[in-house]
Each structure stands twice: as structure tokens, then as C-alpha cells.
């Protein structure tokens, strides 16, 4: 009997799960129901689209939902019948399932300010979350001279840098005392603010917004200190909220997200949840790498390839993707605790580094600005390997220790187990194997391994390894 798997959500998690299930084969019908009217796209590349560095075609996920999958876009699900094992769609369809997967993602949070109605925002006020949001921002920005971004987190700063790149006078308004307070300490936030100022982005810190007024002439943002800021466009980047409405209405256990166990199962064993909407061990993901890892585990469980597969979260690394800014943050670098702490600051050059080391392992790091050791630091943190005796090589990016200089000097000296693509957990060894199996171009290696299809931050590293392989094997590489 053909098993019916229904996936609610055609975002990065839902589309990846459909592809993983297709790869496992078997007698199974997979139906994907996407509320958005588009094919699956890479949401974290929207800031690059906003900056004008890529086009819409470049954000579409080539693997989408897998061949043979029944993909229905622009079809929101309105309810779940757990007893009858079926979902209801907005167009009146009733679709039965043997196993249901919630990959409903999250929605942009709209702050409860006078002048803002989350149900219908003014034309010049746009959240930054979806492809349609990006299109609206670009439409308003066309011909605009100025923009405000409410929220100085990761996404808000990427949006601000993108708008500034397009020539708009851009100001970020953030209610706390420093930028990206979840990932950075105050010193790093101050250096980052200086770097952004040099790139044309003004920063207003420690000042909450108290109201918004918008009309055909522009937007006015009222601040708690009595000032008003005026612009042609206001972008909201005030965080996201897991989309758990369907799960809650169906009686599933919901806290901050839909609660799942190690096999991504909810309290109903015929329903699973992955991605931004899922809460595993009290933690929400919000990042692409864990969402894709969850999709991989769930595909193994549902296909029978490994019914006992378990999701085990890995340490995450946050990268800021904005032209002129190189930032990596990981672990608990901002918290106190046992062990060593090393810092270096050079605001003039926009450089900041902070490392936390306990029992000879990195427990956290912040690297802002040009630091040649950033790749090595990420590898050490990701794999839990011992740090070199000379910590300066990591802190300052100076090749003062052979143990650290080696991986950066040549791919030949990089261990095969070194992770090159964090989003898809692709190692150097996997890239080499792919090359020797016949993938003779950067694009071919990227397509075969999925490296570079997440945040895109590893593409230069992959290109460097492919170049090295082409020279070592005396084969010309194409791009």
C-alpha cells in the first residue's frame, strides 16, 4: 500500500525533506502544500537579492521538491483533522495522510506600536522575511532617497546594508545598547556600528520606537526620547515568531514552537515538525543548517532507512552576509564562565576578536573584520578540537603557530574531516570525492554536494579547493 506523506510548508525545510524522501525511494506519495505562490527559494539569500548582487532566479532552490512530488503552491492549509488523518486547504480540498509533517516556518514579528496593524501595514512599511516582502521593499525603494530599518539584529543589518548599497540614506533604529546583542558583546557591537557608519549606515541605539505614521509622502518613526525620524521607507526587522497556529488548533503540544522529540515527532506519532516551527529540547532553530539536518533525520525515519535515527543539534555559527563586513560569531563568547578569555580590538580598522577557551577547546568566539584565521576558528569550534598553544594565531590571524597556519596555507594540508560547508555539513573529503567522481567545475561540485546552497559563505572556500584539485590532478577547471 502506498504511504501518503503530506508536508505543510514549501520553505527551505519542507522542500529539503521532500527531496530527501525522493532520494530514499520507496512506495510513497509525497504532497507538499505551500502557502506562498512561489517555488521553494533560499530565504537567507534575500538580503543579497535586496542589495542587487543577484536576481530572483538565483534564490530559487534548484532541487525544489524532488521529481514526482505533488507540489501545490499558493495553497494555505486551514485545518488538521487528526482523527480522520486529513488536512483541509483554503480551496476546500481535503487531503488524507498517513504521516503529516509541519514545516510551517515562522512569521515576521510586527511590534505593537501605534500606527501599525499586523493585518494590514501601510504601503511604505514592510517586514523583511519573504520573497514578496523583498519585492515590496524594492518597489518602494525604487525612486526613494531614504530608509529606516527598525531592528539591529542580523537580518536588519543585512537589509540596511543592502538598501545603502542601492544609494538610500539608511538609518538603523535599535532599542538596546548595542547591535546584534544575541551574538555580540558591547565592544564588538560598537566596532560593528563604526564599520556600518563607514559604509553609509547610520545607527541609533538604546532608543525604542513609540509610534509610526505613514502616508503617500513618507514614514515618520516616533522615538521614546521625543525625536521623530522621517524616511521614504520603513523596514521592520523585529524578530520572527514560529508559525504554530495549525498545530495549536489541532491540539498538538506547543510551547514557543511545536514540541518534538529526537525523531522530530510531536505528541501525535503520525505528525512530525521540522524547521523554524519546531521546538526540540526547549530550543528553536531559526537557522538553515539545523533545519536541513532535521529534514535528513526525518527522511531516514519515515523512509525506513534508519527508523531509529535521532536528531542531534550541532554547534551553530552565525555569519553576517553584507558587502564590506566579515563577521562570525559562535558559542557563548558573550557570557562569563570558566576558562580563558582573550580579546583584541582595533576600531580604526574595524577589527575585533574575542575567544573563550575551556579545557583547551573553544567554547565561543567573535571575529569581526579581516582575520585570516576565521576558517580555522570555525573548524576548531565545530569539531571540538584542541586549540594551539599560541593563542595569538587565532586571536590576531597571524600564522605564528604551524598547527593553525597549515589549514589556511593550502587545501592540501586541510584534513579531509574539516567541515567546509556548515549549512550542509560538507567536508573537504566529500568535495575531493565528488571531484574525483567526475565533477570538474565549481558549479558541478556545488550541485553534487549541496555545498554553498545555504548561506553561500563557503563558496570561495569550495572554489579554492576545486582550484587546488585542478592543479594537483592537472585538469583544467571551469566556472
Amino acid at each position: 500500500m502506498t504511504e501518503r506523506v503530506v508536508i505543510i510548508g514549501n520553505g527551505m525545510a519542507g522542500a529539503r525533506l521532500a527531496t530527501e524522501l525522493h532520494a530514499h525511494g520507496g512506495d510513497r506519495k509525497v504532497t507538499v502544500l505551500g502557502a506562498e505562490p512561489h517555488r521553494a527559494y533560499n530565504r537567507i539569500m534575500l538580503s543579497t537579492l535586496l542589495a542587487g548582487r543577484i536576481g530572483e532566479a538565483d534564490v530559487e532552490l534548484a532541487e525544489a521538491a524532488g521529481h514526482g512530488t505533488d507540489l501545490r503552491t499558493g495553497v494555505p492549509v486551514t485545518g488538521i483533522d487528526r482523527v480522520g488523518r486529513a488536512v483541509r486547504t483554503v480551496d476546500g480540498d481535503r487531503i488524507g495522510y498517513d504521516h503529516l509533517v509541519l514545516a510551517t516556518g515562522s512569521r515576521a514579528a510586527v511590534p505593537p506600536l501605534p500606527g501599525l496593524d499586523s493585518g494590514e501595514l501601510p504601503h511604505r512599511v514592510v517586514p523583511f522575511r519573504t520573497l514578496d516582502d523583498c519585492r515590496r521593499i524594492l518597489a518602494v525603494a525604487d525612486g526613494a532617497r531614504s530608509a529606516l530599518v527598525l531592528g539591529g539584529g542580523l537580518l536588519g543589518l543585512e537589509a540596511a546594508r543592502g538598501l545603502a548599497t542601492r544609494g538610500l540614506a539608511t538609518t538603523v533604529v535599535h532599542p538596546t545598547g548595542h547591535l546584534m546583542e544575541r551574538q555580540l558583546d558591547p565592544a564588538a557591537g560598537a566596532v560593528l556600528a563604526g564599520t556600518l557608519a563607514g559604509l553609509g549606515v547610520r545607527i541609533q541605539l538604546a532608543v525604542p520606537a513609540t509610534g509610526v505614521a505613514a502616508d503617500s509622502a513618507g514614514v515618520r518613526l516616533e522615538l521614546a526620547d521625543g525625536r521623530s525620524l522621517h524616511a521614504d521607507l520603513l523596514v521592520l526587522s523585529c524578530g520572527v515568531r514560529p508559525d504554530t497556529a495549525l498545530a495549536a488548533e489541532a491540539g498538538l503540544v506547543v510551547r514557543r514552537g511545536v514540541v518534538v522529540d529526537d525523531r522530530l515527532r510531536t505528541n501525535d506519532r503520525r505528525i512530525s515538525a521540522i524547521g523554524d516551527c519546531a521546538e526540540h529540547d526547549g530550543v528553536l532553530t531559526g537557522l538553515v543548517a539545523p533545519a536541513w539536518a532535521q529534514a535528513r533525520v526525518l527522511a531516514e525515519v519515515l523512509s525506513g532507512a534508519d527508523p531509529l535515527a535521532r536528531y542531534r543539534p550541532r554547534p551553530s555559527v552565525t555569519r553576517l552576509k553584507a558587502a564590506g563586513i566579515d563577521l562570525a560569531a559562535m558559542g557563548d563568547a558573550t557570557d562569563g564562565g570558566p576558562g580563558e578569555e582573550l580579546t583584541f580590538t582595533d576600531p580604526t580598522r574595524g577589527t575585533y576578536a574575542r575567544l573563550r577557551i575551556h579545557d583547551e577547546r573553544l567554547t565561543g568566539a567573535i571575529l569581526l573584520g579581516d582575520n585570516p584565521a576565521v576558517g580555522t576558528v570555525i573548524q576548531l569550534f565545530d569539531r571540538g578540537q584542541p586549540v594551539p598553544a599560541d593563542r595569538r594565531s587565532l586571536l590576531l590571524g597571524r600564522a605564528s603557530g604551524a598547527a593553525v597556519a597549515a589549514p589556511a596555507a593550502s587545501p592540501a594540508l586541510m584534513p579531509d574531516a574539516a567541515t567546509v560547508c556548515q549549512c550542509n555539513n560538507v567536508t573537504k573529503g566529500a568535495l575531493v570525492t565528488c571531484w574525483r567522481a567526475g565533477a570538474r567545475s565549481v558549479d558541478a561540485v556545488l550541485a553534487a554536494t549541496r555545498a554553498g546552497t545555504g548561506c553561500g559563505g563557503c563558496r570561495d572556500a569550495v572554489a579554492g579547493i576545486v582550484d587546488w584539485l585542478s592543479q594537483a590532478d592537472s585538469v583544467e577547471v571551469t566556472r
Side-chain angles (χ1 to χ4, degrees), residues 116 121-127 136 140 212-214 219 233-236:
L116 292 185
L121 293 172
H123 172 66
R124 293 180 179 272
V125 179
V126 190
R136 286 183 57 201
V140 177
V212 176
V219 182
L233 165 68
L234 171 61
V235 175
L236 302 178

Side-chain angles (χ1 to χ4, degrees), residues 14 40 45 92 94 107 114 188 213 219 291 365 401 420 428 459 471:
M45 294 299 287
R94 181 179 172 89
R107 297 178 181 270
V219 182
V420 178
K428 177 224 175 178
R459 284 177 175 262
Q471 296 168 17

